[in-house]
């Protein structure tokens, strides 16, 4: 199925079978476009590229057409995708080796969820760069440290009583497997949430917040007050289900209206750009973190799946809690590298959406696919 906007073909957001780790029994049809409105930041803006750094210049010998402005039609395509999708969505694309960025709802705050693990890793690596931590430093993790939701590492803690891991291994586990326990262990080691906030301020990363840590964040979003017993089995889910519906709804609405871990798509795209250019961390830490992000296991059918063969993608996903079919935070952010070496920061954040998961992934694939389609024009 093909939509047309301003005479340009647009990949329809129709969903076939087998998009999500298996087969989906019936196709999901994207609802009609929301009422037309003026594009929000759909045009290109010039982004200062600062002093020359590694890989900051155009990748080819001559200045290619897409260095100073996006390819004609890319802004319209991104706007059309954004406009057609139901739910509150933010999209940002920035050329890392260039001077432009485009966005829809670029300045708005969206729940990050596990996207924020990236800032924890950066804070830890900044401490390594400054001699305050070592990648080989050992960290003990016991039952008192267990958190909630996705924490594969917890099985080892329960089986062995406690485990001791290096900072290096915790970063790998937190980013590649999005392990909440590994991430909170890093957070505790580097100095807690305020250490991450101090890093964000020091690096002037803009509209990026950092929440209170996984336990307090998830408890508050659900309308609960954290108890360590919630980390055992399904105690958290049981306590959450016992809350009055009005309590859960009020907590979720409050979180979505003013997310304590909120970040803007444009700020994240800028942060990824600065990471890739080597201006946030040392060369060694930059290369190390990008290498870890290349091994991310989560979200294989999100942005990554929209890129053609020959492209590379390093990324971090984030997914929030569900309430009556609505998810508070469904995200993927990363750096796409074309076969010729040109790099793009791509960010798609869904603040709240009730669309089926395959439809969410299809939008993400359409965004990254558009970047690849218009590359080099």
């Amino acid at each position: 199925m093909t939509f047309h906007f301003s005479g340009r073909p647009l990949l329809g957001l129709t969903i076939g079978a087998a998009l999500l780790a298996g087969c989906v029994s019936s196709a999901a049809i994207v609802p009609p476009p929301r009422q037309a409105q003026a594009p929000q930041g759909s045009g290109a803006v010039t982004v200062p590229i600062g002093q020359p750094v590694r890989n900051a210049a155009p990748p080819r010998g001559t200045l290619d057409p897409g260095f100073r402005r996006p390819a004609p039609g890319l802004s319209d395509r991104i706007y059309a995708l954004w406009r057609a999708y139901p739910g509150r969505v933010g999209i940002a694309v920035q050329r890392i080796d260039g001077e432009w960025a485009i966005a829809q709802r670029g300045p708005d705050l969206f729940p990050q969820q596990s996207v924020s693990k990236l800032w924890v890793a950066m804070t830890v690596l900044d401490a390594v760069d400054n001699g305050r931590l070592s990648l080989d430093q050992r960290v003990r993790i016991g039952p008192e440290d267990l958190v909630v939701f996705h924490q594969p590492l917890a099985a080892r803690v329960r089986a062995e009583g406690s485990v001791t891991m290096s900072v290096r291994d915790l970063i790998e586990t937190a980013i590649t497997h999005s392990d909440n326990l590994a991430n909170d262990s890093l957070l505790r080691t580097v100095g807690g949430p305020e250490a991450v906030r101090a890093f964000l301020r020091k690096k002037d990363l803009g509209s990026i917040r950092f929440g209170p840590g996984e336990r307090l964040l998830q408890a508050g979003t659900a309308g609960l007050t954290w108890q360590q017993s919630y980390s055992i089995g399904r105690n958290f889910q049981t306590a959450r289900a016992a809350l009055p519906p009005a309590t859960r709804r009020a907590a979720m609405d409050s979180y979505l209206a003013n997310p304590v871990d909120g970040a803007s798509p444009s700020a994240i795209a800028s942060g990824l750009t600065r990471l890739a250019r080597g201006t946030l961390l040392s060369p060694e830490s930059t290369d190390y973190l990008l290498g870890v992000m290349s091994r991310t296991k989560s979200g294989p059918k999100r942005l990554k799946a929209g890129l053609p063969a020959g492209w590379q993608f390093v990324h971090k996903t984030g997914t929030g809690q569900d309430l009556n079919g609505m998810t508070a935070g469904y995200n993927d952010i990363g750096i796409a590298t074309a076969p010729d070496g040109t790099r793009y920061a791509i960010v798609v954040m869904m603040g709240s959406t009730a669309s089926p998961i395959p439809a969410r992934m299809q939008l993400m694939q359409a965004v990254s696919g558009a970047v690849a389609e218009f590359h080099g024009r």
Side-chain angles (χ1 to χ4, degrees):
M1 180 176 181
T2 304
F3 294 136
H4 291 273
F5 292 87
S6 301
R8 301 181 180 90
L10 172 64
L11 177 66
L13 299 181
T14 54
I15 309 302
L19 276 176
L20 176 63
C23 294
V24 178
S25 59
S26 59
I29 303 300
V30 176
R34 67 186 85 182
Q35 184 176 357
Q37 62 186 82
Q40 300 187 23
S42 59
V45 297
T46 298
V47 179
I49 61 174
Q51 295 299 314
V53 296
R54 298 181 311 142
N55 297 325
R60 294 190 287 267
T62 58
L63 192 66
D64 64 281
F67 181 77
R68 300 203 181 281
R69 48 95 181 138
L74 178 59
S75 296
D76 290 343
R77 175 72 64 83
I78 296 300
Y79 170 66
L81 290 168
W82 171 83
R83 179 182 168 213
Y85 192 82
R88 185 170 180 271
V89 179
I91 301 172
V93 178
Q94 183 166 346
R95 173 149 169 176
I96 292 169
D97 313 293
E99 297 183 336
W100 59 263
I102 58 177
Q104 293 297 329
R105 287 193 180 275
D108 294 0
L109 292 178
F110 289 81
Q112 292 185 81
Q113 293 295 320
S114 287
V115 164
S116 66
K117 289 181 171 72
L118 184 60
W119 317 120
V120 176
M122 285 191 193
T123 303
V124 171
L125 290 171
D126 182 66
V128 171
D129 289 342
N130 287 280
R132 298 192 303 274
L133 284 177
S134 163
L135 286 175
D136 296 321
Q137 182 170 324
R138 310 293 288 178
V139 178
R140 179 192 177 275
I141 306 169
E144 69 279 6
D145 301 314
L146 298 183
V147 291
V148 68
F149 297 144
H150 190 66
Q151 49 175 341
L153 183 56
R156 282 188 56 197
V157 174
R158 295 189 184 103
E160 302 173 26
S162 67
V163 300
T164 301
M165 297 176 64
S166 68
V167 167
R168 185 192 314 274
D169 288 342
L170 286 173
I171 292 175
E172 182 81 21
T173 304
I175 297 297
T176 66
H177 293 279
S178 205
D179 190 304
N180 292 338
L181 178 54
N183 188 69
D184 267 23
S185 299
L186 285 171
L187 181 61
R188 182 178 70 254
T189 301
V190 81
E194 186 50 43
V196 180
R197 295 171 191 143
F199 172 80
L200 295 171
R201 289 192 299 269
K202 180 178 76 169
K203 299 297 184 176
D204 194 23
L205 284 165
S207 298
I208 298 175
R209 296 175 175 177
F210 188 79
E214 199 67 35
R215 291 178 280 194
L216 297 181
L217 172 66
Q218 301 303 341
T221 303
L224 294 168
T225 299
W226 176 257
Q227 300 176 29
Q228 190 57 30
S229 62
Y230 290 160
S231 67
I232 302 173
R234 293 187 59 82
N235 287 355
F236 182 92
Q237 290 85 341
T238 300
R240 183 178 64 182
L243 291 172
T247 300
R248 284 208 63 197
R249 171 52 63 186
M252 181 69 80
D253 289 346
S254 176
Y255 171 63
L256 290 173
N258 189 24
V260 294
D261 66 335
S264 76
S266 290
I268 291 180
S270 176
L272 290 171
T273 295
R274 292 175 61 191
L275 171 66
R277 291 177 177 176
T279 61
L280 289 181
L281 301 170
S282 70
E284 295 76 16
S285 289
T286 297
D287 292 342
Y288 169 71
L289 183 55
L290 292 175
V292 172
M293 292 171 68
S294 74
R295 296 186 288 276
T296 293
K297 301 292 190 292
S298 59
K301 294 293 186 180
R302 298 190 191 188
L303 287 171
K304 185 176 183 178
L307 295 169
W311 284 67
Q312 297 176 348
F313 192 60
V314 305
H315 66 127
K316 184 69 196 79
T317 59
T319 306
Q321 295 184 53
D322 292 330
L323 179 60
N324 300 327
M326 186 276 296
T327 303
Y330 192 87
N331 312 317
D332 199 9
I333 64 113
I335 297 167
T337 303
D340 66 4
T342 305
R343 299 173 297 175
Y344 301 90
I346 308 176
V347 176
V348 177
M349 307 182 77
M350 300 180 184
S352 58
T353 180
S355 292
I357 288 177
R360 304 174 196 180
M361 296 188 299
Q362 187 75 359
L363 172 65
M364 292 182 172
Q365 293 168 21
V367 170
S368 58
V371 173
E373 178 185 342
F374 284 91
H375 170 64
R377 293 190 182 181

